Amino acid sequence: MPGPCAAPADSAPPDGPLPLVAVPGMLCDASLWSDVAFPDGHPVRHVALTEPSVGELADSVLAATTGRFVLVGLSLGAIVGFEVLRRAPERVAGLCLVSTNAGAPRPEQYAAWRALDELAGDGRFDAVVERTLPGMFARDPAPRHLAERYRRMARSVGACAAHAQLAAQATRRDAFAALRAVRCPTAVVYGTRDALCPPGFHRAIAEAVPGARLHEVPDAGHLLPWERADALTSALADLVTAAQARHRLARAGCNPAASPT
């Protein structure tokens, strides 16, 4: 798997395969996608969540490559994608939204983020990891191998990045206006046992985006790319095929806007 990109110097040519920009969730890094088979021939850029606002994170996504791309985001990564849509919708050729929430933060979420930030600030980052673990998988307690894998990934992300991510969470806003304006192929992928972002969140997103395809993954939780990588691989294959076809039509001077899929 390619590592985080430093610069977009090797971006694909305008008529070549669309790049994929993969944006993970909170306390996640590029290893979140390690079980997913990204479509062959498409360069993948990984964006780390190290900035303290959703706007700055969106700028990081837009700087990851040049031209148009397919955005793949999970949870906070998808929320960053919503801000990308506000800033540069013409850059987004396809959109894969996984385990996420397009609504504005709720009061209890602000309180939970403050509590986690206080723990991290007190030098108790391991407590942050343990407090977030129960919401990650379909079952609580999670299978040991998944729990240990999550702990390793979160510790690799570290307290400094976690502080920035918690600050960024507080800058979120309702994204439904941006979603109603989307005209690119869109896949919304969710697990039926996601305790953090339940099915209703994803149905609302799919209803907002014209032509979006809703992919329900039975018996999967929030970190769906680890529990059901096969389902995400399949959804991505269909999405990227549709996005690439529309991209080529547009480059040929056709107007594919009449159909978003």
Side-chain angles (χ1 to χ4, degrees):
M1 164 172 291
C5 65
D10 58 342
S11 298
D15 294 320
L18 287 164
L20 277 63
V21 178
V23 195
M26 187 172 159
L27 296 183
C28 299
D29 59 20
S31 68
L32 173 71
W33 314 104
S34 57
D35 296 346
V36 178
F38 288 111
D40 287 342
H42 292 266
V44 181
R45 311 284 182 258
H46 294 280
V47 175
L49 302 179
T50 57
E51 302 297 335
S53 73
V54 167
E56 289 170 290
L57 291 169
D59 288 342
S60 296
V61 170
L62 291 167
T65 189
T66 58
R68 306 185 77 217
F69 59 90
V70 175
L71 192 150
V72 186
L74 179 139
S75 196
L76 179 56
I79 290 164
V80 172
F82 303 152
E83 184 63 26
V84 170
L85 291 170
R86 294 187 186 99
R87 295 180 178 221
E90 74 284 355
R91 295 276 312 276
V92 183
L95 193 58
C96 184
L97 306 172
V98 187
S99 306
T100 195
N101 177 12
R106 304 181 300 276
E108 63 270 21
Q109 288 180 298
Y110 285 116
W113 297 330
R114 284 193 299 270
L116 291 174
D117 200 35
E118 289 172 4
L119 283 174
D122 289 340
R124 300 175 61 195
F125 182 65
D126 279 351
V128 173
V129 176
E130 294 306 314
R131 188 170 292 190
T132 56
L133 174 58
M136 292 297 112
F137 300 105
R139 291 173 176 77
D140 181 22
R144 180 174 294 181
H145 71 285
L146 289 177
E148 287 303 315
R149 189 177 182 184
Y150 175 71
R151 290 183 179 109
R152 287 194 300 271
M153 179 174 67
R155 289 167 184 155
S156 176
V157 170
C160 183
H163 174 71
Q165 291 165 9
L166 289 163
Q169 290 275 22
T171 69
R172 289 166 40 183
R173 50 186 170 138
D174 184 283
F176 283 100
L179 289 171
R180 285 189 286 270
V182 170
R183 295 296 182 269
C184 66
T186 300
V188 183
V189 189
Y190 73 95
T192 59
R193 299 187 65 175
D194 187 340
L196 295 180
C197 297
F201 288 9
H202 301 89
R203 295 189 196 108
I205 292 170
E207 288 169 4
V209 178
R213 294 192 62 183
L214 188 64
H215 298 263
E216 177 182 280
V217 184
D219 205 32
H222 195 63
L223 293 192
L224 182 150
W226 285 358
E227 292 186 302
R228 288 294 309 276
D230 61 323
L232 184 53
T233 294
S234 176
L236 271 175
D238 292 343
L239 172 71
V240 173
T241 297
Q244 188 71 54
R246 282 170 53 82
H247 178 64
R248 286 178 176 148
L249 282 173
R251 295 293 301 175
C254 301
N255 180 10
S259 173
T261 57

